[in-house]
Amino acid sequence: MLSLLLTLCLAAQPETCGEHALPAAPCPEGAEAAAAAWLSDRPALTLDGWRCGAAPPLEVGEIAPGVFVHPGPVAEASPENGGDQANVGFIIGGEAVAVIDSGGSRAMGEALLAAIRARTELPVRWLILTHMHPDHLLGTDPFTEIGARLVVHARLPEALRNRAEGYAESWERQIGPRAWLATRVPVAGVTSAQTVQPGAPLSLDLGNRVLRVEAMPTAHTDNDLVVTDTGSGTLWLSDLAFLRHTPVVDGSVLGWLAVLDALSARPGARMVPGHGPVSEPWPEGLAPTRAYLTALVEETRAALRAGESMTDATRHLGSALAADWALFPAYNPRNATAVYKELEWE
Ligand SMILES: [Zn+2]
């Protein structure tokens, strides 16, 4: 599968250049016109040349027949990893492909699409975005460019709109201008997405393979989706489950624990967490996330009973768990503050 490979440079810093795939373009016929059309609404970029070739595929593993997951490194976003953090992947049915999360930069979305094209030419009909966090959705553009329909929680468009500017600034700073090149927060794309309401699951038929997409009540964020591949018994939990990488509370800790309780009663063979090993036994793989959230709740309630201020309490809340988790100093203090604020008035 050949793509149109563009060498793009930042208009403001012409020395910052990188190569990007334009997968929807006919190649080589019409390449010049396709490149010009694509660039016309991207004033920050200039073209320094183009050629046709294969974009490098993202590394993925097959955890069940037709279910492929890329293992995101357990690390903070940096110029070295280019925003490659989250576990993302795709499911191939008899007639179509569904992608679940697109990664932390345009380049990562392109590489994920190349990994799909290395395995099948079936149309990529859906891109399911499990929630609003940048490491899960900044690679969306290459999929909308080939006509994939976005599927999101009903609350995601507004949540993303409110945070888009902050996400773009902080993410560009973290991964650097080269890795950020041509990346956009998909605010416009999600306005025309298929939305899923809590209590009203959506079925996606990939051809002899049905995915159930469910919108959760507020948990990790207020816009989490769970995708179940009913045939293989795979529950794609994304950031409702963390392994190794310290969990991130950006919704409701009590809501999250309730969601995990409800989900864990379901049948299933395996789960895909948002960070850490790509496939864990179901429901045992939920245990570390649950243990962390439960400990934070118990310790926070004890601190509140003892009359500790938020400043004093957040210095030690969760600290007994530090050895169990990577990136603890980066995430635990923020979680402790969020949990204190949530439980303060109960
Ligand atoms: Zn997340």
Side-chain angles (χ1 to χ4, degrees):
M1 173 73 186
L2 294 182
S3 300
L4 174 54
L5 299 174
L6 307 177
T7 302
L8 301 169
C9 301
L10 273 180
Q13 302 166 37
E15 68 286 359
T16 302
C17 298
E19 192 172 75
H20 281 277
L22 183 50
C27 187
E29 329 83 68
E32 196 100 53
W38 185 82
L39 273 170
S40 64
D41 65 343
R42 291 167 171 85
L45 301 176
T46 59
L47 185 63
D48 197 36
W50 60 269
R51 65 186 176 85
C52 284
L58 198 65
E59 175 208 346
V60 294
E62 189 169 12
I63 63 160
V67 181
F68 295 85
V69 191
H70 166 70
V74 175
E76 291 216 78
S78 67
E80 290 68 41
N81 62 37
D84 179 3
Q85 265 190 313
N87 297 335
V88 303
F90 53 93
I91 299 178
I92 303 176
E95 293 161 12
V97 181
V99 179
I100 304 178
D101 287 340
S102 61
S105 67
R106 178 182 171 98
M108 197 172 156
E110 291 169 5
L112 180 59
L113 180 54
I116 295 167
R117 286 294 169 248
R119 287 160 183 86
T120 178
E121 287 297 325
L122 288 172
V124 178
R125 204 162 283 157
W126 294 283
L127 165 57
I128 302 162
L129 299 175
T130 60
H131 64 293
M132 66 185 173
H133 285 152
D135 51 331
H136 294 261
L137 55 61
L138 289 177
T140 291
D141 275 4
F143 296 99
T144 48
E145 284 165 13
I146 58 165
R149 180 94 197 266
L150 301 184
V151 177
V152 302
H153 192 295
R155 279 196 290 257
L156 182 134
E158 192 192 344
L160 191 61
R161 202 164 45 243
N162 292 339
R163 291 165 178 81
E165 213 173 303
Y167 281 174
E169 278 171 20
S170 68
W171 209 250
E172 181 174 8
R173 197 170 52 244
Q174 283 184 73
I175 70 175
R178 191 178 302 274
W180 177 259
L181 198 72
T183 301
R184 303 200 288 199
V185 182
V187 177
V190 299
T191 56
S192 55
Q194 164 93 55
T195 58
V196 189
Q197 297 278 358
L202 174 72
S203 289
L204 301 178
D205 188 352
L206 309 186
N208 298 321
R209 178 162 220 157
V210 175
L211 304 186
R212 190 172 65 231
V213 185
E214 292 167 276
M216 295 290 122
T218 301
H220 167 63
T221 67
D222 77 352
N223 50 83
D224 303 313
L225 296 180
V226 169
V227 184
T228 305
D229 178 39
T230 45
S232 72
T234 303
L235 286 94
W236 200 301
L237 295 194
S238 189
D239 282 5
L240 289 170
F242 282 71
L243 286 129
R244 296 191 0 225
H245 183 303
T246 304
V248 176
V249 183
D250 195 13
S252 158
V253 70
L254 297 180
W256 193 347
L257 282 165
V259 162
L260 295 187
D261 274 348
L263 289 174
S264 61
R266 295 191 182 180
R270 69 189 68 75
M271 55 170 257
V272 181
H275 297 269
V278 293
S279 178
E280 287 288 296
W282 177 259
E284 295 82 357
L286 293 176
T289 308
R290 235 177 176 160
Y292 173 81
L293 298 176
T294 303
L296 261 189
V297 167
E298 285 171 0
E299 288 183 30
T300 305
R301 283 180 175 150
L304 285 163
R305 276 196 302 274
E308 263 191 275
S309 70
M310 186 162 82
T311 313
D312 289 341
T314 51
R315 281 201 194 104
H316 64 82
L317 290 175
S319 54
L321 307 161
D324 299 343
W325 296 95
L327 310 174
F328 202 78
Y331 295 101
N332 185 68
R334 278 187 269 169
N335 292 339
T337 303
V339 172
Y340 188 100
K341 283 183 181 164
E342 182 178 341
L343 301 183
E344 200 172 3
W345 306 109
E346 70 174 357

